[in-house]
Amino acid sequence: MKEFAEDRLMRALHDEHAAALWSYALHLTSGDRVRAEDVVQETLLRAWRNAKVLDQSEGSARGWLFTVARRIAIDDWRAAESHPEVVTGQPPETAVTDGTERAVQGWLVAEALGELSPRHRDVLVLCYFQGYSVADAAKRLGVAEGTIKSRTHYALRALRLVLEERGVTR
């Protein structure tokens, strides 16, 4: 029953004060509609959390709402002033890479290659790591070019599965 009374109170507050509160918040934020919406939303949220304060016949609910809105706007302004935006014409410095990440990835792939069948591992090493063409890899392994293409396809799938099992890829 208490929730029903709070719900009616909030609806009444909204119906009676929302337009004036919106206008006031728009003034407080110098016409910034997005910030004004945030101020109104936060004000009404605080009203909902403090429904007992607003339910009392003493004092004005509108005065309480306006005071809360003003304090929220001031707090936002102070927060923005303490953390000013820095505008610059140059992008931030790029991170310097020392090759560590590449080395770790190499180790992970090398360990994953070790779990593949020798046929799959051989075709990937020849085609991807040593740069052989399909024709050259076929000659070195003594199989048809179509076999190299097929093995490469299945080897890459198997490698992806091994890396997914290790949590390296998704």
Side-chain angles (χ1 to χ4, degrees):
M1 194 64 162
K2 179 182 172 186
E3 290 176 15
F4 184 70
E6 286 179 357
D7 185 46
R8 278 192 312 197
L9 174 64
M10 289 307 300
R11 286 183 194 276
L13 278 172
H14 183 271
D15 293 345
E16 188 175 340
H17 304 292
L21 184 59
W22 165 252
S23 178
Y24 184 62
L26 204 53
H27 171 74
L28 288 173
T29 60
S30 301
D32 185 336
R33 298 178 72 81
V34 173
R35 286 182 44 218
E37 287 175 5
D38 290 344
V39 169
V40 170
Q41 184 177 15
E42 181 64 25
T43 301
L44 292 175
L45 179 64
R46 290 184 188 182
W48 177 68
R49 289 181 180 159
N50 296 301
K52 294 176 192 171
V53 173
L54 296 172
D55 197 22
Q56 299 170 358
S57 58
E58 308 160 5
S60 164
R62 182 172 288 194
W64 187 90
L65 291 169
F66 278 36
T67 300
V68 170
R70 182 174 173 271
R71 288 180 180 162
I72 291 169
I74 289 170
D75 289 346
D76 289 349
W77 178 78
R78 285 181 179 158
E81 286 295 309
S82 66
H83 302 289
E85 243 180 66
V86 177
V87 180
T88 179
Q90 302 212 353
E93 294 178 16
T94 56
V96 177
T97 57
D98 62 356
T100 305
E101 186 174 334
R102 187 169 169 89
V104 170
Q105 287 177 348
W107 289 330
L108 292 171
V109 171
E111 286 179 356
L113 280 172
E115 292 188 29
L116 299 181
S117 70
R119 288 181 173 182
H120 285 161
R121 184 176 44 252
D122 292 345
V123 77
L124 289 180
V125 168
L126 286 174
C127 293
Y128 282 93
F129 297 105
Q130 294 179 354
Y132 283 90
S133 67
V134 171
D136 291 338
K139 286 178 189 171
R140 288 191 64 99
L141 295 175
V143 296
E145 291 180 24
T147 303
I148 295 295
K149 291 177 185 179
S150 175
R151 282 187 193 170
T152 301
H153 172 78
Y154 289 108
L156 287 172
R157 286 181 59 187
L159 182 63
R160 183 180 306 122
L161 284 174
V162 170
L163 291 171
E164 283 176 0
E165 288 174 357
R166 293 173 177 237
V168 177
T169 61
R170 295 186 242 157

